[in-house]
Amino acid sequence: MPSSASRPPSSSDYDVLVFRGVRAIDPLSNLDAIVDVVVEGKVIKRVGPNAAVSLAGLADLGGPGGQRVFDVPHAPRALLLPGLFDLHTHLREPGQEYKEDLESGLGAAAAGGFTDVCAMPNTRPVNDNRAITEMLSYKSRALGGTRLHPIAAITVGQKGEVLTEMADLKAGGAIAVSDDGYCVTRSDVMRRALEYASTFDLPVIQHCEDHALTAGAQMHEGAMSTKLGLRGWPRVAEDIIVARDVILAEYTRAKYHVAHISTLGAVRILREAKSRGVPVTAEVTPHHLLLTDALLLGYNTACKVNPPLREKGDLEALYEALADGTIDCVATDHAPHSSLEKDCDLTDASPGMIGLELCVPLMLGLVHKGIVPLQRLVHALTAAPAKIAGLPPSRIKEGAEANLTLVDPSAEWTVTADRLRSKSKNTPFLGQNVTGMVVMTIVSGVVAFDASAKLGYEQSRQARPK
Ligand code: DOR
């Protein structure tokens, strides 16, 4: 690790990280307690009350004394969580690096508390081959920090016709397949995709949209679209695909996952399917939980997303489904677009909004309102998406790899463009006050993001020469 006399020591220069008096939550072991957590190297060394009695004692924790210790002092408000996992991110590399690239996107992910993100394949060119999948894996590893897990396309060029070489894609590092941005509408192609993907144990993530029903649509179809004179995207375009795919998942017994679920009807279908043991899972985005189509009244292009923002009744169904586990996880669908694609007429604007750096405060807002229990939210942002991706979950327990997210749930801040690391600033939350801030993100024992100094968490940091 670099160390330089010409700059103050940074937390990445330390061998031992100590979190004193944090509220640590690990839903997999029902841990929710005020404890000390001591990280040494890549590993969580101790978890428990008074695990870090004194800094002097720390020298004994892992061998010879003189280790460099980064001490996060007693901070009763802080939450220490297993590293957050985003199943649905658009990083735009290769091909649209003016919107985002691996460095900016993974930096935004770390700032948002994510230790792991899965990158969707709708890049230019599409990630439908092993060369791109491997490039993403290698390049992101070289960057360090938040880990990238590529999702490769289901069909060549995301055209919905010819299946990709899934064995190759899996060997190159793909953890799932998806044509996200487009739906696999042909039933025969979807059936074969499920069968083929299941031979490699790859989940199939579907963007549920019957394109024949959404041609020219700018927003959700309802009273608001009628009022605005805009062509609508009816709920049934999502429901029809979810219903058909559930039937195919039951038939093939393949792992099927619904991306960005948004309708009351899709939730009902999913709940019924799950009650019969069909292998289906689903994710919901913070924006589909929080925003409605009423925001389109001002033709705000930042609110144009696919699927579109729905109505209050849909949001209520999504809350209930997230709370009861019908919806497995929360995913950001971080979709960066530049001003070229957003500072224009609504009809010309690209759909999507950024989400990595706003997920934690927005979702904590739902916790503060009593809509989602905190334990359930943490599960939906950690173990649940990791399981769907077939990856080991981050844990807070002795001996586990140190993948951690430290959050101040009561820190208030205003969302402004200059606070966001993403290259793109397309979010309707600009200018809004939010509560909840990511303080640190630790990936395999290395600090990937650190705002602790700003928040006054690091007064007792002690550096000792090695
Ligand atoms: O709003 C969206 N934007 N939904 C998608 O499915 C794709 C995404 C994008 O790539 O911009």
Side-chain angles (χ1 to χ4, degrees):
M1 287 179 200
S3 154
S4 155
S6 62
R7 61 172 173 76
S10 96
S11 47
S12 58
D13 294 337
Y14 292 80
D15 308 307
V16 179
L17 295 163
V18 183
F19 301 94
R20 291 171 183 251
V22 286
R23 180 176 171 194
I25 299 180
D26 184 344
L28 290 186
S29 52
N30 277 324
L31 171 71
D32 184 349
I34 307 288
V35 289
D36 295 343
V37 175
V38 180
V39 173
E40 200 178 337
K42 291 179 174 199
V43 175
I44 298 177
K45 196 84 178 180
R46 290 203 190 157
V47 178
N50 303 318
V53 177
S54 71
L55 281 178
L58 289 173
D60 304 330
L61 280 173
Q67 287 168 311
R68 295 168 299 172
V69 176
F70 182 81
D71 187 23
V72 182
H74 185 66
R77 294 172 311 165
L79 301 174
L80 190 66
L81 312 176
L84 307 185
F85 190 110
D86 189 11
L87 194 56
H88 191 143
T89 308
H90 298 271
L91 295 181
R92 305 299 190 213
E93 186 171 340
Q96 292 181 313
E97 289 85 351
Y98 67 99
K99 300 185 187 197
E100 196 79 285
D101 59 26
L102 296 189
E103 195 172 354
S104 65
L106 293 174
F114 291 95
T115 54
D116 297 85
V117 296
C118 303
M120 282 295 178
N122 60 337
T123 47
R124 308 277 185 278
V126 168
N127 178 13
D128 60 7
N129 61 75
R130 184 168 174 169
I132 296 180
T133 302
E134 282 184 342
M135 180 279 286
L136 293 171
S137 303
Y138 290 143
K139 204 168 164 185
S140 59
R141 243 178 271 142
L143 284 168
T146 294
R147 295 172 289 218
L148 180 158
H149 308 285
I151 298 174
I154 300 172
T155 63
V156 174
Q158 295 190 298
K159 291 192 188 311
E161 287 161 9
V162 179
L163 295 185
T164 50
E165 293 291 352
M166 294 184 196
D168 251 10
L169 294 168
K170 169 119 184 181
I175 52 91
V177 288
S178 178
D179 274 359
D180 184 61
Y182 304 95
C183 182
V184 178
T185 42
R186 270 176 51 184
S187 302
D188 58 334
V189 176
M190 192 59 184
R191 173 204 169 166
R192 295 296 178 210
L194 287 163
E195 287 172 343
Y196 194 41
S198 71
T199 54
F200 310 110
D201 204 26
L202 286 168
V204 177
I205 302 177
Q206 176 74 295
H207 171 114
C208 299
E209 173 180 1
D210 185 333
H211 293 292
L213 286 167
T214 62
Q218 301 302 323
M219 62 177 294
H220 169 68
E221 182 182 284
M224 201 57 69
S225 62
T226 308
K227 186 168 180 176
L228 295 176
L230 292 170
R231 198 179 292 264
W233 200 126
R235 292 186 183 89
V236 290
E238 178 166 324
D239 304 349
I240 284 169
I241 298 296
V242 176
R244 180 207 63 182
D245 286 354
V246 159
I247 293 167
L248 288 173
E250 186 169 14
Y251 181 59
T252 59
R253 305 306 298 176
K255 287 181 189 158
Y256 171 72
H257 179 77
V258 178
H260 42 50
I261 193 166
S262 72
T263 69
L264 171 73
V267 165
R268 277 195 200 125
I269 296 163
L270 196 69
R271 186 174 280 124
E272 190 276 337
K274 283 193 160 190
S275 74
R276 289 185 299 105
V278 182
V280 293
T281 53
E283 72 194 27
V284 66
T285 71
H287 51 271
H288 287 110
L289 287 165
L290 283 160
L291 308 176
T292 69
D293 62 343
L295 288 169
L296 272 298
L297 249 187
Y299 298 92
N300 183 357
T301 58
C303 294
K304 181 174 175 179
V305 281
N306 184 348
L309 303 178
R310 303 285 184 190
E311 295 180 43
K312 196 161 168 274
D314 299 285
L315 271 53
E316 282 162 1
L318 296 173
Y319 297 156
E320 195 187 338
L322 179 61
D324 74 15
T326 300
I327 294 174
D328 301 79
C329 64
V330 171
T332 68
D333 195 4
H334 175 79
H337 290 295
S338 77
S339 57
L340 283 175
E341 294 89 17
K342 285 293 192 181
D343 292 346
C344 54
D345 281 353
L346 192 76
T347 46
D348 294 327
S350 299
M353 66 176 76
I354 55 168
L356 285 168
E357 292 167 86
L358 297 171
C359 182
V360 163
L362 294 180
M363 292 308 302
L364 283 177
L366 290 177
V367 172
H368 296 317
K369 284 186 185 151
I371 288 170
V372 191
L374 181 58
Q375 283 263 0
R376 171 70 198 115
L377 173 65
V378 174
H379 187 251
L381 279 169
T382 57
K387 185 170 182 210
I388 293 165
L391 293 169
S394 295
R395 301 293 312 274
I396 301 186
K397 63 171 191 181
E398 290 177 5
E401 189 181 73
N403 300 303
L404 297 163
T405 303
L406 185 70
V407 172
D408 184 331
S410 47
E412 291 171 11
W413 57 288
T414 305
V415 181
T416 53
D418 60 344
R419 289 191 80 136
L420 300 172
R421 296 196 169 197
S422 175
K423 275 191 193 179
S424 296
K425 315 294 176 189
N426 54 304
T427 167
F429 293 99
L430 284 181
Q432 291 202 23
N433 297 328
V434 290
T435 305
M437 190 186 279
V438 173
V439 181
M440 282 176 103
T441 307
I442 293 148
V443 183
S444 196
V446 176
V447 179
F449 173 76
D450 181 7
S452 60
K454 239 186 337 198
L455 287 162
Y457 274 71
E458 61 171 346
Q459 302 91 326
S460 65
R461 159 192 286 184
Q462 294 193 3
R464 288 180 260 175
K466 264 200 136 176

